[in-house]
Amino acid sequence: MARQVDYHTIREIFTRFQAAEPEPKGELDHVNAYTLVVAVALSAQATDAGVNKATKTLFQVADTPDKMLALGEDGVIEHIKTIGLYRNKAKNVIKLSRILVDQYDGEVPNSRAALQSLPGVGRKTANVVLNMWWHYPAQAVDTHIFRVGNRTGICPGKDVVAVERAIEDHIPVDFQHHAHHWLILHGRYTCVARKPKCGACVIRDLCKFEDKTT
């Protein structure tokens, strides 16, 4: 775990991220808040590309909780069986759809606690939905962000909640909305797990990682 970098360094880091990608976007396809919840829930232990391939046809026939319930668990399975843990995920999609219909009039709630009460929706999923749909600066910490945060010193922490808190505490507010997207993209494509592409990194000179590659 690298030590926390200072304010001025963080400002420069995110200034560079912003210059490289002014409006970073999440890579999960969705058409409304409900399909975003479902897509993010399905993405656990799966790639965004794999989820998008499965949900392309699913969301054509079921883009609301009512339509998903009408499709049924077996129908959901037929669409998502290429995704890991598809049986349990299909069960959760049906359960969360029933809760949305029965308790929220078919609408997706926009508090973290309410979102986390839905089957298959954890803190990370809730934060993704709050950020991407309602533009709230919630920080969804995944394995990429955890690695980047600790490796670079941008937002070190011993667990995902500590890293989330470090983002909220140390990254200037004008970068908060897109912070987790910049960090995810950096971890997914540059600061990769086994052999980070330090030679192509826009923040190489600011990063605290000691074992940089060429």
Side-chain angles (χ1 to χ4, degrees), residues 27-30 35 38-43 46-62 68 71 75-86 89-90 93:
E27 297 182 329
L28 286 171
D29 295 336
H30 59 283
T35 55
V38 172
V40 181
L42 293 176
S43 72
T47 65
D48 288 359
V51 173
N52 289 340
K53 185 176 180 180
T55 58
K56 182 177 181 181
T57 56
L58 175 63
F59 293 159
Q60 287 174 353
V61 297
M68 197 69 75
L71 185 62
V76 174
I77 285 174
E78 282 303 305
H79 287 278
I80 70 166
K81 59 187 178 182
T82 56
I83 301 175
L85 307 175
Y86 66 90
K89 289 177 180 179
V93 167

